[in-house]
């Protein structure tokens, strides 16, 4: 069985403690993970699989990344 790594950017450790958390993206990611038992290949899968209506837009100069130990999507530089 081939394992395909997800392309979701990884945030530095404990980023969810010091950076804003995007609640909608986090909740959609967690629901997807609970339903499928895996991580999506990227955030856009959450839209194509109907977990979100549209991807949120990060603030200018920022991007979304996953604080993997805490399973939270954070906004980072």
């Amino acid at each position: 069985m081939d394992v395909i790594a997800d392309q979701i950017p990884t945030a530095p450790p404990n980023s969810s403690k010091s950076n804003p958390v995007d609640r909608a993206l986090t909740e959609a990611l967690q629901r997807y993970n609970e339903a499928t038992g895996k991580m999506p290949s990227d955030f856009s899968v959450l839209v194509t699989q109907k977990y979100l209506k549209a991807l949120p837009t990060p603030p200018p100069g920022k991007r979304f990344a996953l604080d993997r130990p805490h399973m939270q999507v954070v906004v980072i530089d």
Side-chain angles (χ1 to χ4, degrees):
M1 181 171 130
D2 292 331
V3 175
I4 299 172
D6 67 69
Q7 299 299 311
I8 296 174
T10 299
N14 295 316
S15 290
S16 60
K17 296 181 188 289
S18 59
N19 292 287
V21 174
D22 187 284
R23 298 278 175 222
L25 202 46
T26 295
E27 289 173 10
L29 183 81
Q30 290 172 348
R31 286 193 327 269
Y32 179 91
N33 183 259
E34 288 171 10
T36 65
K38 62 183 181 178
M39 294 297 289
S41 56
D42 60 54
F43 291 131
S44 66
V45 171
L46 300 173
V47 176
T48 60
Q49 295 296 311
K50 310 277 191 239
Y51 288 89
L52 287 171
K53 289 185 179 190
L55 279 178
T57 303
K62 307 284 184 176
R63 64 186 175 107
F64 294 122
L66 181 60
D67 180 342
R68 291 177 187 272
H70 296 103
M71 279 290 284
Q72 294 190 344
V73 179
V74 295
V75 179
I76 62 173
D77 291 329

